[in-house]
Amino acid sequence: MLENTARPSQPPPPAAHRRAQQADLPVQQLYVLDPVPKGRLAGCILAVLLGCWMLAVPVVLIDRLKDSPGPAGVVSVVIIACAVVTAGLGGFRFFNPRDERKPLRLSLYAALTACMVSGAASALVPEYGVLLLASALLAGVPALALLVRDAKAR
């Protein structure tokens, strides 16, 4: 006959030795996180959208930009660099909304400002037209306003 060689189940440890779980605590002792402000999340989403748009436009226009003389290449590199930094910082801040580090917040402000300035500089290049200037004004300014208002509210 086959014997059961499995280890017998052990009884649970006494209540003094087991870890407290949230279900064991009374309602007064439960730790509830404060809700994340919606303005912060909206500002981060707008920053990511602006960064993605400013990254997509030079990629789509690459055939037209590669043959153009003058500052179009330099402006494109600056636009792409600003777009990558803005999208990265906005995404990091979106996925870590409770991160209160001041350098992170200030760098996102600087990246948004750089995106808006590079969008304004792109209006001087005929290949871009107002594609990036319009998006910088329509997404960058509200994103910066929402993030600054959120920082002042704290």
Side-chain angles (χ1 to χ4, degrees):
M1 241 193 223
L2 296 172
E3 288 186 33
N4 187 0
T5 58
R7 182 182 283 179
S9 65
Q10 296 183 359
H17 296 289
R18 71 185 167 123
R19 294 182 183 166
Q21 297 177 354
Q22 271 196 332
D24 298 337
L25 297 173
V27 176
Q28 296 82 11
Q29 291 182 346
L30 291 178
Y31 180 72
V32 180
L33 294 173
D34 293 332
V36 177
K38 289 181 172 70
R40 183 181 309 165
L41 294 177
C44 293
I45 290 170
L46 285 173
V48 170
L49 289 175
L50 177 64
C52 291
W53 176 254
M54 291 189 78
L55 186 60
V57 169
V59 171
V60 170
L61 296 177
I62 194 73
D63 288 334
R64 193 185 306 174
L65 292 171
K66 70 179 180 181
D67 297 330
S68 66
V74 174
V75 171
S76 296
V77 169
V78 170
I79 289 170
I80 290 172
C82 291
V84 168
V85 170
T86 302
L89 286 172
F92 182 81
R93 183 96 168 139
F94 177 76
F95 286 111
N96 299 300
R98 298 189 199 296
D99 194 350
E100 297 293 331
R101 291 181 285 182
K102 189 174 182 178
L104 178 66
R105 190 175 63 231
L106 293 177
S107 60
L108 181 56
Y109 298 163
L112 274 168
T113 304
C115 260
M116 290 187 290
V117 169
S118 65
S122 72
L124 301 175
V125 179
E127 286 81 7
Y128 283 114
V130 293
L131 274 174
L132 296 179
L133 178 62
S135 63
L137 293 177
L138 292 176
V141 173
L144 194 59
L146 286 169
L147 291 170
V148 168
R149 186 175 351 147
D150 174 57
K152 286 183 180 179
R154 277 183 278 138

